């Protein structure tokens, strides 16, 4: 079976935010590749930073003048502006040695031209987390994503992603799994699945919040008084 840059989910409420973007990486400083931007085929320039072993791979094996399919973690730093943390590249046709930063396909009869393509296509993102905000008037929604504890035991602060899409208000404070597509500087929902209510942190009994309830429920923003219709596929 062919490998995939996005690992399968192992738990129903497994948080994550990961995706792939095809484009040319343009470092801000040719001598320092850690910061720059990804220029996509549609002309969008997305702010990006390079993490981990990918930096070594880029210096030794990749032609940065040509487009690549980058494996990235999305972040929302400013409104309507996407920020990407680059952690890998998917290019099994040219990268023969499996590494964490450059996963490869297993030996099959798949042509090399197809090996660099993913079933989901370019600009696909998978985001799983808690729905904490949705606004019917504009189609805005916000997902909170929690990260795993670090080796030293410290827990990173959860981060929030500003997305585009329609998810009904009744699913507020529920854990949702989203398939999204990058559109310019934004990520738009193509499909969503509601996994279940998110339990209040610190609640020993693990009882979930009542979605939209007055006791312990989320405060509703102004103008947030009717359900959002589900976005068409």
């Amino acid at each position: 079976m062919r490998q995939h840059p996005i690992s399968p989910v192992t738990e129903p409420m497994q948080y994550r935010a990961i995706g792939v973007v095809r484009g040319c990486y343009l470092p801000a400083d040719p001598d320092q590749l850690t910061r720059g931007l990804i220029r996509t085929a549609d002309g969008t320039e997305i702010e990006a930073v390079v993490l981990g072993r990918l930096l070594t791979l880029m210096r030794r094996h990749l032609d940065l003048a040509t487009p690549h399919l980058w494996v990235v973690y999305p972040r929302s730093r400013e409104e309507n502006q996407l920020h990407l943390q680059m952690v890998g590249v998917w290019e099994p046709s040219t990268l023969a040695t499996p590494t964490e930063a450059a996963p490869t396909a297993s030996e099959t009869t798949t042509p090399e031209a197809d090996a660099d393509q993913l079933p989901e296509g370019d600009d696909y993102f998978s985001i799983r987390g808690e729905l904490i905000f949705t606004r019917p008037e504009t189609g805005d929604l916000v997902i909170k994503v929690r990260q795993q504890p670090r080796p030293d035991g410290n827990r990173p602060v959860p981060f929030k992603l500003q997305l585009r899409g329609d998810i009904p208000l009744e699913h507020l404070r529920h854990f949702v799994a989203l398939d999204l597509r990058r559109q310019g500087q934004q990520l738009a929902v193509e499909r969503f699945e509601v996994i279940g209510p998110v339990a209040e942190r610190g609640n020993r009994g693990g009882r979930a919040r009542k979605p939209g309830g007055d006791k312990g429920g989320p405060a509703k923003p102004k103008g947030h008084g009717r359900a959002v219709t589900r976005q068409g596929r």
Side-chain angles (χ1 to χ4, degrees), residues 21-52:
V21 171
R22 189 179 299 277
C24 292
Y25 177 67
L26 307 176
D29 182 347
D31 297 326
Q32 299 290 334
L33 301 181
T34 54
R35 293 184 179 275
L37 58 86
I38 297 176
R39 179 179 294 159
T40 65
D42 61 8
T44 303
E45 296 186 345
I46 308 171
E47 182 182 272
V49 295
V50 182
L51 302 182

Side-chain angles (χ1 to χ4, degrees), residues 16-85:
R16 76 175 178 193
I18 189 171
V20 292
V21 171
R22 189 179 299 277
C24 292
Y25 177 67
L26 307 176
D29 182 347
D31 297 326
Q32 299 290 334
L33 301 181
T34 54
R35 293 184 179 275
L37 58 86
I38 297 176
R39 179 179 294 159
T40 65
D42 61 8
T44 303
E45 296 186 345
I46 308 171
E47 182 182 272
V49 295
V50 182
L51 302 182
R53 296 169 60 188
L54 177 60
L55 186 60
T56 301
L57 187 73
M58 292 168 67
R59 287 172 172 164
R60 295 181 179 178
H61 302 289
L62 296 181
D63 178 7
L64 297 185
T66 62
H68 301 280
L69 188 61
W70 304 104
V71 183
V72 298
Y73 297 153
R75 295 293 188 271
S76 298
R77 296 288 177 83
E78 299 180 15
E79 188 175 359
N80 297 322
Q81 184 172 343
L82 191 60
H83 175 87
L84 300 177
Q85 297 179 353

